[in-house]
Amino acid sequence: MENVADIYTLSPVQLGMLFHTLADTQAGVYVNQYTCKLSGSLQPNLLQQAWQQTVARHPVLRTAFLWDGLDEPLQVVREQVELPWHELDWRGVTDVEQMAKLEEFLECDRTQGFTLDQAPLLRLTLIHLRDNRYQFVWSSHHLLFDGWSLPLIWQDMLTYYSALLQGTVPQLPPTRPYRDYIAWQQEQNLTAAKSFWQRQLQGFVEPTPLPAAHPGTSQCYQQHTQSLSPSLTTALKTLARQPHLTLNTLVQGAWALLLNHYSGENQVTYGSVVSGRPAALSGVETMVGLFINTLPVTVTIESDQTLIIWLQTRQQQLLDLRQYETTALTDIQRWSDLPQGSPLFESIVVFENYPTATAADIGFDTSDVRYLEQSNYPLALLVIPGESLELLLLFDLGRFEAGEIARLHAHLELLLTAFVEQTQSKLAELPRLTPAEQQQLTTWETVD
């Protein structure tokens, strides 16, 4: 009990994540990596000090998890922790070799994992690439915080760095600790949530088959990224400005239609990752911790319905879900008609609309930012907004071949293009084949 600042229970999402981590033999499960280039007159010693101060500010960054011999798992916040800081020098290596070394380093770092009962569950590595150019790698366990928290932490670190650089006292507002969210959650009445989710899942007895998937599993994941053109991205953003529509709704609508096209089922279900930050908890938007939740979205496809009306219905459905977005997935599963142990869904959609960090002139710039996440679902669509909308498919190599994933990407882009070109069309009129596939089909019919 030495060096203990606080002890409290886990959130339902943390409990599920802890269970999967302990049960999964695959090394590196739930290890997330944030990487970026730092260019300019960076002072590594000040960067290290800024990170030490940031870890001291946020309890979750000093948290370990204990479960052995306990009635229920607990998270223990340490008073002080030693910052895992490493510096490497790759200046004698060519750019091509540096890229290969970085991928090898990231793989080794991820599979190293973390010892969950020893804080902090993070590692920081600064790699010197060239004069005034560095690669930064920040690895952490997902049990600590979500993607929304990441820029909040980064912003605090930049504030500390700027103060150290100028020899001033950092001006940071007070922040609510994660334990306040745990306390809030324990006070919630689940009666209304149970009634809502039972209505949502009424008649749902089996998960939607995954598109183009094979039986079996490998728990070895790969990423396939496709960026939409700036013109298509702009057109989608323009469409999303219509009443009762958002860019997130458009992507989730396309994903539901994709599942419908591949499965042939008129009712499909997938998981939607939500922020899980309750508006009723003041200051929640600046709290650091694990709030995200994954909720089932059940969608009915009526072929004679007009696309724009159908999309607006999807938007209202997602708004309704937000009232109950902190409900534990384990509870929702228990309230459904699915057999115990059967998953509600096997694919998820993550729309990464996070706050951004900004900084005054501190002598260096940040570029080439990447946030590498792991998933325990066979298929995950990660959507990263920007000038070009980035669609990243994270898939289990035991269930999918790379060519099938590329085809999924093509069909997803086909649907999103149809959204802006055929707004008044009925769902049945939307294209199912790419021009290349249509040409191939025409060729086969001609041969026959």
Side-chain angles (χ1 to χ4, degrees):
M1 295 301 295
E2 295 179 359
N3 192 28
V4 173
D6 203 355
I7 300 177
Y8 45 93
T9 57
L10 281 64
S11 71
V13 173
Q14 285 180 308
L15 279 171
M17 201 171 285
L18 177 64
F19 172 78
H20 282 296
T21 304
L22 296 175
D24 201 320
T25 56
Q26 182 75 18
V29 64
Y30 287 123
V31 173
N32 294 338
Q33 294 171 312
Y34 173 90
T35 71
C36 63
K37 294 281 196 316
L38 305 177
S39 305
S41 55
L42 174 71
Q43 298 189 35
N45 62 319
L46 295 188
L47 188 68
Q48 182 178 358
Q49 291 178 51
W51 270 105
Q52 186 71 63
Q53 292 176 337
T54 304
V55 169
R57 171 171 164 83
H58 295 290
V60 298
L61 302 183
R62 293 176 277 114
T63 295
F65 296 84
L66 305 181
W67 63 90
D68 199 17
L70 300 177
D71 293 335
E72 63 175 337
L74 296 172
Q75 42 191 334
V76 178
V77 181
R78 300 300 180 189
E79 285 277 8
Q80 297 178 323
V81 294
E82 182 178 345
L83 186 70
W85 179 269
H86 307 281
E87 293 188 32
L88 301 174
D89 191 341
W90 292 356
R91 282 178 289 183
V93 179
T94 66
D95 291 350
V96 174
E97 290 172 321
Q98 284 179 354
M99 290 177 60
K101 282 173 71 70
L102 178 60
E103 292 307 313
E104 181 182 358
F105 174 85
L106 291 173
E107 177 67 21
C108 292
D109 176 80
R110 184 167 55 249
T111 55
Q112 180 182 341
F114 291 95
T115 304
L116 300 183
D117 60 359
Q118 296 179 19
L121 302 182
L122 57 88
R123 284 186 295 271
L124 305 169
T125 305
L126 185 66
I127 305 169
H128 207 158
L129 302 176
R130 294 283 178 267
D131 290 344
N132 298 327
R133 188 165 175 81
Y134 299 82
Q135 176 75 49
F136 185 71
V137 179
W138 167 17
S139 301
S140 58
H141 200 284
H142 208 351
L143 273 166
L144 299 183
F145 58 85
D146 51 29
W148 181 284
S149 301
L150 192 146
L152 301 177
I153 298 170
W154 187 260
Q155 180 72 67
D156 285 352
M157 185 278 295
L158 292 177
T159 301
Y160 283 123
Y161 182 92
S162 178
L164 287 166
L165 192 65
Q166 298 170 24
T168 60
V169 177
Q171 301 298 315
L172 285 169
T175 180
R176 294 193 71 172
Y178 185 61
R179 72 133 42 246
D180 287 2
Y181 168 71
I182 298 292
W184 176 89
Q185 195 171 53
Q186 291 172 342
E187 294 172 355
Q188 301 311 298
N189 188 326
L190 294 180
T191 304
K194 180 179 180 179
S195 177
F196 172 82
W197 287 112
Q198 285 179 330
R199 290 196 306 272
Q200 288 287 309
L201 298 171
Q202 189 173 12
F204 177 62
V205 293
E206 61 180 0
T208 303
L210 282 173
H214 306 300
T217 180
S218 71
Q219 290 297 303
C220 182
Y221 288 87
Q222 189 168 317
Q223 294 182 354
H224 187 279
T225 304
Q226 180 168 317
S227 295
L228 301 185
S229 68
S231 59
L232 177 55
T233 300
T234 300
L236 287 168
K237 289 178 180 178
T238 301
L239 177 60
R241 294 192 192 102
Q242 291 201 24
H244 312 299
L245 283 183
T246 65
L247 196 55
N248 184 20
T249 299
L250 297 181
V251 174
Q252 294 208 30
W255 189 254
L257 289 173
L258 191 71
L259 293 177
N260 160 253
H261 288 180
Y262 274 85
S263 69
E265 298 185 358
N266 290 329
Q267 188 181 59
V268 298
T269 300
Y270 62 91
S272 175
V273 177
V274 295
S275 71
R277 293 173 180 257
L281 184 60
S282 64
V284 71
E285 67 280 355
T286 59
M287 290 173 68
V288 171
L290 183 65
F291 294 87
I292 59 163
N293 198 9
T294 307
L295 303 175
V297 181
T298 300
V299 179
T300 300
I301 289 90
E302 297 177 2
S303 58
D304 61 345
Q305 196 166 20
T306 304
L307 171 64
I308 196 73
I309 301 299
W310 181 79
L311 285 172
Q312 289 172 341
T313 304
R314 301 281 65 75
Q315 172 70 22
Q316 186 58 51
Q317 180 185 19
L318 294 176
L319 284 174
D320 292 342
L321 293 184
R322 288 211 58 184
Q323 299 178 61
Y324 305 97
E325 67 178 354
T326 61
T327 312
L329 186 58
T330 50
D331 287 333
I332 300 173
Q333 170 85 36
R334 185 162 44 85
W335 298 331
S336 75
D337 294 329
L338 265 75
Q340 189 173 3
S342 179
L344 285 167
F345 45 80
E346 292 192 299
S347 71
I348 63 172
V349 177
V350 187
F351 194 88
E352 297 190 345
N353 191 18
Y354 303 145
T356 57
T358 58
D361 184 16
I362 53 176
F364 67 85
D365 296 319
T366 303
S367 62
D368 195 17
V369 175
R370 297 168 64 196
Y371 184 45
L372 308 175
E373 298 181 84
Q374 293 294 319
S375 170
N376 66 319
Y377 292 98
L379 184 61
L381 171 65
L382 278 63
V383 185
I384 305 170
E387 183 180 335
S388 296
L389 194 67
E390 193 172 329
L391 306 174
L392 190 154
L393 283 173
L394 182 63
F395 61 98
D396 185 341
L397 281 169
R399 303 291 297 274
F400 299 92
E401 294 177 3
E404 294 166 339
I405 294 297
R407 191 165 70 251
L408 281 179
H409 256 142
H411 286 165
L412 189 59
E413 182 173 351
L414 181 74
L415 283 167
L416 290 170
T417 302
F419 281 9
V420 299
E421 294 178 351
Q422 301 174 228
T423 308
Q424 299 305 319
S425 296
K426 294 182 178 180
L427 298 184
E429 297 169 343
L430 296 176
R432 292 172 178 258
L433 299 174
T434 65
E437 290 171 329
Q438 189 64 53
Q439 178 63 40
Q440 182 66 63
L441 183 62
T442 303
T443 302
W444 288 340
E445 289 174 347
T446 302
V447 171
D448 289 344

